[in-house]
Amino acid sequence: MVITWLLDELNFPLSPWRIQLFEIADLFFIPPVLRQCSQSILAWQWANKIPLLQSQAPADHVADILSGLLSGPERDEPDPCSFTILDFCSGSGGPVPWVERSVNNRRRLQGKLPVNFVLSDLHPNLDDWIPLVESSGHIKFLPQPVDAVKPSHAASDAVVSHSRFDCVPSAKHKVIHLYCLSFNHFTDDQARTIMNNTMKTADGIAIVELQERRVASAMAAILRFWLVYVIVLLGFLQSPSHMLLTFGAPALPAMIAFDALVRCLGCRTIDELWRLALVAQAQRSKANSDTKRNEFRSSALNGYASDGITRDWTFLPVRRLHTFPLGHLTCFLGVKGR
């Protein structure tokens, strides 16, 4: 712990402000096979731990944090409460399959209702999502493209199975928005819009990043070029696409390393996320105040605020070591108050 603390003190910020660049995987002309291979590599990293350097897989850290987040709103409800976690920018599924299994195993032992996870993306990866749905009764997906900045109203309240919506109108049903390694993709204007939309349509938010805008994360991003070769040999030896794009022409390692560096430069600090949340909350409070002056009632909002009182949000930052000595996971949590 002392060594980690000392090294962390030397882990200087790269820049006092974030740098918004493009990721290769987001370019429209990138072949789908290259994008899908990249997403599967990221999913493998979520699910597997590196011996000696990681005490548990990164997905297990996310499961720990989400379990704690879910227990907060449940304590405020006299009756059982069901949850849907809507995952934006899901890629090939990211950590969701492992997080779902871990979270629901714990809830089953505690006698609580299971949590449904819904995958969504601007480029839905149905080839990878359909097997996930078939292997778990609590993973669904939105088959149509979902823009995280401008999602449809149905996306926040719906659980989709076999290409149809299954709306849950119950007042005791809560929706949590999840962003895993994706919130850094958005500009500040887009991020503010997302935060505002979340406060209007959801009951909680979790923004998860495995990187920070610091020197150690930048070095780790560059080293990912060679890490991809190891991962492909360990997990994708039987995949011709992965082998060709790695050992034939190193397009996959180059893209993953470049995109990791871009995410590192674009990561928001906890203070920056705080400011986004506070601005969104202030805008929300002003909107509610204007609504009250116009004698509109807020009882229509989310279906359960019947007394016209503004529902403030509580925000909590989490930072924990996931890879020794300087790989830190940051998670910014928000929960709507009663």
Side-chain angles (χ1 to χ4, degrees):
M1 295 297 292
V2 175
I3 294 176
T4 301
W5 178 82
L6 289 173
L7 290 174
D8 198 32
E9 289 296 307
L10 299 174
N11 187 17
F12 300 108
L14 285 172
S15 169
W17 55 84
R18 59 188 301 269
I19 301 173
Q20 187 80 42
L21 300 174
F22 68 90
E23 290 189 28
I24 296 177
D26 293 335
L27 298 177
F28 71 92
F29 55 81
I30 291 298
V33 63
L34 183 57
R35 181 182 294 113
Q36 291 173 5
C37 286
S38 173
Q39 292 172 350
S40 63
I41 292 287
L42 293 176
W44 190 96
Q45 288 182 278
W46 274 112
N48 295 272
K49 71 174 184 178
I50 302 174
L52 302 178
L53 298 182
Q54 294 178 330
S55 60
Q56 57 183 350
D60 293 328
H61 288 287
V62 179
D64 292 340
I65 293 170
L66 288 181
S67 294
L69 176 66
L70 296 174
S71 65
E74 278 183 317
R75 285 194 295 267
D76 294 334
E77 294 289 345
D79 299 317
C81 183
S82 63
F83 293 94
T84 293
I85 294 181
L86 177 57
D87 182 45
F88 288 95
C89 309
S90 298
S92 65
V96 167
W98 296 272
V99 171
E100 181 274 321
R101 188 181 307 117
S102 179
V103 168
N104 282 329
N105 283 343
R106 301 179 199 192
R107 294 178 65 83
R108 192 175 299 111
L109 294 174
Q110 297 168 353
K112 297 178 180 179
L113 295 175
V115 177
N116 286 326
F117 288 75
V118 180
L119 304 173
S120 69
D121 202 285
L122 190 60
H123 306 284
N125 190 345
L126 302 186
D127 290 341
D128 285 342
W129 291 358
I130 290 175
L132 298 180
V133 172
E134 292 174 345
S135 65
S136 172
H138 300 293
I139 297 179
K140 315 294 180 182
F141 64 81
L142 299 174
Q144 74 275 21
V146 174
D147 185 347
V149 180
K150 299 177 181 179
S152 64
H153 291 293
S156 296
D157 302 316
V159 175
V160 175
S161 178
H162 304 300
S163 301
R164 70 177 181 85
F165 285 93
D166 184 15
C167 295
V168 185
S170 170
K172 294 172 185 172
H173 182 82
K174 297 182 181 293
V175 178
I176 310 292
H177 288 182
L178 176 63
Y179 296 86
C180 289
L181 307 191
S182 57
F183 203 74
N184 58 76
H185 291 193
F186 306 109
T187 65
D188 288 342
D189 287 340
Q190 291 174 327
R192 279 190 289 269
T193 300
I194 289 172
M195 200 71 75
N196 280 320
N197 289 340
T198 297
M199 290 185 175
K200 292 178 184 178
T201 62
D203 303 278
I205 186 171
I207 300 171
V208 182
E209 298 287 356
L210 291 180
Q211 295 173 293
E212 298 178 294
R213 203 167 68 234
R214 292 176 176 268
V215 172
S217 289
M219 294 174 61
I222 296 171
L223 291 174
R224 284 196 180 190
F225 181 91
W226 292 276
L227 180 61
V228 170
Y229 286 91
V230 177
I231 292 175
V232 169
L233 290 175
L234 291 176
F236 301 93
L237 198 56
Q238 305 301 318
S239 170
S241 298
H242 286 81
M243 295 295 290
L244 179 61
L245 292 172
T246 302
F247 293 96
L252 190 56
M255 185 176 81
I256 289 177
F258 179 86
D259 287 355
L261 184 59
V262 168
R263 286 195 298 272
C264 171
L265 296 172
C267 275
R268 291 178 173 85
T269 65
I270 292 298
D271 287 342
E272 289 166 345
L273 290 171
W274 267 114
R275 285 195 289 271
L276 281 175
L278 292 175
V279 168
Q281 191 167 9
Q283 292 173 345
R284 187 74 188 137
S285 297
K286 182 180 184 300
N288 283 348
S289 177
D290 292 342
T291 299
K292 288 176 67 179
R293 283 198 297 270
N294 291 318
E295 296 183 347
F296 287 100
R297 299 182 63 84
S298 64
S299 57
L301 184 62
N302 289 307
Y304 61 85
S306 60
D307 55 8
I309 299 175
T310 300
R311 291 331 198 207
D312 289 337
W313 281 60
T314 300
F315 296 98
L316 174 68
V318 177
R319 184 175 186 258
R320 58 165 67 179
L321 187 71
H322 69 81
T323 303
F324 181 85
L326 291 173
H328 285 89
L329 175 148
T330 60
C331 186
F332 191 75
L333 307 174
V335 180
K336 178 183 288 185
R338 295 192 67 224

